[in-house]
Amino acid sequence: MGTGGAIKKAIDCCSEDDIFIFNGDTYFDVELNEMKAFHNEKNCNLTIAVKLMNNFDRYGNVVIENDIIKHFQEKKPTVRGRINGGTYLIKKRVIDLVEEESFSFEKVLLESDIIDVYAFESYGYFIDIGVPEDYYRAQTDFEHKL
């Protein structure tokens, strides 16, 4: 189904107009009420929580102008930039813009010109457990937070 197809199927079960979506392999301590207020204030169709990072190469850099994401740069060594934190807030009707049942959420909605995608900057703890060393670091970090 691709990420988009799975999201489309899940959103069909939701009754709210605005739906949060979370990447399953990341933890990002986003103030969700603030993100929703931003989303509503800007009348966004799709909002992504972004995180300012230093010295990274595992993530693409998000280029933002006036809170709107202009494009996503490919993964490369970056001294300072913002990354997609894997936390999204989307209007339910946006998924209906895509007719396919199987598609990439990232390519079809995030990286296309179908809609403006807004960036909500968050400063909370972030970890992506997609590599073993960060998976083990997350276990230690969360053990100390309990």
Side-chain angles (χ1 to χ4, degrees), residues 137-146:
R137 184 168 59 98
Q139 291 177 343
T140 301
D141 288 355
F142 287 116
E143 183 178 298
H144 294 299
K145 288 185 181 214
L146 295 178

Side-chain angles (χ1 to χ4, degrees), residues 18-112:
D18 293 307
I19 312 295
F20 278 103
I21 300 166
F22 304 96
N23 283 4
D25 61 351
T26 59
Y27 176 83
F28 191 10
D29 191 10
V30 175
E31 177 48 63
L32 299 177
N33 289 327
E34 289 180 19
M35 184 173 177
K36 185 163 179 146
F38 172 90
H39 181 79
N40 290 335
E41 176 186 314
K42 301 279 186 178
N43 196 26
C44 304
N45 285 308
L46 177 56
T47 303
I48 300 175
V50 298
K51 172 82 174 168
L52 181 63
M53 302 279 280
N54 295 314
N55 302 314
F56 61 91
D57 59 7
R58 283 183 47 204
Y59 313 103
N61 187 38
V62 181
V63 178
I64 303 163
E65 289 179 21
N66 299 319
D67 296 326
I68 297 174
I69 296 175
K70 291 302 181 181
H71 67 277
F72 296 85
Q73 294 176 335
E74 291 296 318
K75 297 175 184 177
K76 65 178 182 179
T78 304
V79 174
R80 188 170 173 88
R82 286 168 180 77
I83 65 163
N84 172 351
T87 298
Y88 312 94
L89 184 54
I90 188 170
K91 291 207 175 296
K92 190 174 182 180
R93 67 175 181 263
V94 170
I95 286 292
D96 294 333
L97 296 173
V98 183
E99 294 182 16
E100 296 84 21
E101 293 299 316
S102 178
F103 64 96
S104 165
F105 178 71
E106 297 78 10
K107 296 289 181 203
V108 172
L109 287 175
L110 300 186
E111 298 176 14
S112 74

